[in-house]
Amino acid sequence: MTISEITPFIGAELTGVTYEDLERPELFDQLVDNLRRRELVVVRGVELTPKQQITLARRLGRPVPFLLREYRHPEFEEIMISSNEVRNNKPVGVARVGNFWHQDSSYIADPAPYTMLHGVNVPSTSGHTLYASAVDVYERLPEEWKRKIAGRNALATVNKRLRIGKEHVGLSVAEFRALIDIEHPKVEHPLVREDPFTGRPYLYGSPEYLDSVVGFDANENAAFFAIVDELVQDPEHVYTHRWTPNDLVIWKTATTYHCATAVEPGVGRTVHRVSIQSGD
């Protein structure tokens, strides 16, 4: 087994590891240590059954059943199937998810602290996942903006990305927005947080999941969102994970921005996702 840093700003990669290796407490402890310090861990080419993936997830915390039942694994409700494949004229999973920069579930009051993906059927030429560190983003934020957001909260919302379902047919735009506010009320989070493991400050909030910064006017919000987008998407500070078969990728949801890229036409892609609540 070898462990190496992926970039200076995010990520550690483990190679030459099997599931049986990960069952050893001392090796799994190394994985967790790297996850806490480096925000993101990639275990290359580790073959896992769905049951084994859940077993590993339980060693980090409590796997949470995916909200939408139709996209849950048929045997393990904690696994969400992200897939563009179709079998027997039926979608295998949800085909288009996470294709914008975000921190997982930051629009709810108490997001799960870890996300785990396992590459079941992954192309190497497309369908990559992009990652950036919220610690690194905060460090590169101009001092003027650090002063402006110090001690401030922000309102988070899912309304920019909520999908229109069959149950919304016939609603006016105003009615749909009112329903969103009822079913998915905005939540307030501190905009700058401190990582409990490293003590480093990080920016908590992505423009696609933010409504506004409390106390900012419209112009200040627009300017702040623009600088955050620029910093998060800076190619020099983005890690592009090009999937290889059976890759296992785990990240800290609060400190890791990420974005799924498109899959080229005619190519199948399936990954198994587990959201993990804190076990502390």
Side-chain angles (χ1 to χ4, degrees):
M1 182 196 74
T2 60
I3 302 176
S4 57
E5 289 189 356
I6 296 173
T7 73
F9 45 86
I10 193 171
E13 181 177 280
L14 281 67
T15 57
V17 177
T18 66
Y19 174 74
E20 288 70 28
D21 292 329
L22 292 175
E23 288 185 302
R24 292 163 43 201
E26 64 274 16
L27 194 148
F28 192 78
D29 287 347
Q30 289 184 61
L31 182 152
V32 173
D33 177 64
N34 277 276
L35 176 61
R36 289 175 171 174
R37 289 187 299 103
R38 302 288 301 156
E39 324 302 342
L40 166 79
V41 165
V42 174
V43 186
R44 287 288 187 182
V46 57
E47 294 187 13
L48 296 176
T49 65
K51 183 177 181 180
Q52 288 171 333
Q53 184 178 0
I54 293 297
T55 299
L56 287 177
R58 284 180 179 148
R59 293 173 68 184
L60 278 174
R62 178 174 58 86
V64 182
F66 186 59
L67 182 64
L68 302 177
R69 293 180 179 273
E70 62 267 35
Y71 299 128
R72 292 176 181 173
H73 189 280
E75 295 178 62
F76 301 94
E77 64 177 3
E78 301 95 339
I79 293 178
M80 182 268 273
I81 302 177
S82 175
S83 177
N84 65 353
E85 299 185 80
V86 176
R87 294 178 193 155
N88 300 320
N89 296 317
K90 191 176 178 183
V92 171
V94 57
R96 185 171 174 266
V97 64
N99 60 325
F100 55 93
W101 283 100
H102 63 287
Q103 289 151 306
D104 282 331
S105 302
S106 59
Y107 54 85
I108 65 174
D110 187 25
Y114 300 108
T115 297
M116 174 187 285
L117 291 186
H118 187 236
V120 177
N121 176 32
V122 287
S124 60
T125 52
S126 63
H128 312 315
T129 307
L130 312 178
Y131 293 96
S133 165
V135 174
D136 179 59
V137 168
Y138 180 75
E139 287 179 353
R140 290 183 290 120
L141 196 66
E143 290 300 322
E144 173 193 358
W145 280 107
K146 286 182 180 177
R147 289 192 296 270
K148 284 177 71 73
I149 67 173
R152 290 189 183 272
N153 289 352
L155 293 175
T157 179
V158 74
N159 66 11
K160 296 178 186 177
R161 285 291 172 174
L162 195 65
R163 298 183 181 188
I164 297 173
K166 293 179 289 185
E167 67 275 17
H168 303 128
V169 173
L171 295 179
S172 69
V173 172
E175 289 170 332
F176 180 59
R177 286 177 174 167
L179 183 64
I180 292 173
D181 287 339
I182 294 170
E183 295 184 347
H184 304 279
K186 297 179 180 69
V187 298
E188 193 167 325
H189 292 297
L191 199 49
V192 180
R193 290 179 163 185
E194 187 176 279
D195 185 279
F197 304 111
T198 65
R200 296 181 297 177
Y202 64 93
L203 189 67
Y204 191 59
S206 55
E208 290 297 312
Y209 278 161
L210 283 179
D211 174 80
S212 58
V213 177
V214 177
F216 276 12
D217 62 27
N219 289 334
E220 289 173 312
N221 277 309
F224 179 65
F225 289 176
I227 188 69
V228 172
D229 270 336
E230 180 183 332
L231 293 173
V232 170
Q233 298 180 45
D234 181 352
E236 296 297 319
H237 292 262
V238 169
Y239 163 57
T240 300
H241 182 71
R242 292 172 170 82
W243 289 83
T244 58
N246 292 312
D247 283 352
L248 181 70
V249 184
I250 312 168
W251 64 88
K252 290 156 58 179
T253 60
T255 58
T256 309
Y257 290 99
H258 61 290
C259 174
T261 63
V263 181
E264 59 195 305
V267 174
R269 182 181 186 275
T270 296
V271 297
H272 286 175
R273 179 186 186 274
V274 179
S275 183
I276 307 168
Q277 278 286 4
S278 177
D280 296 339

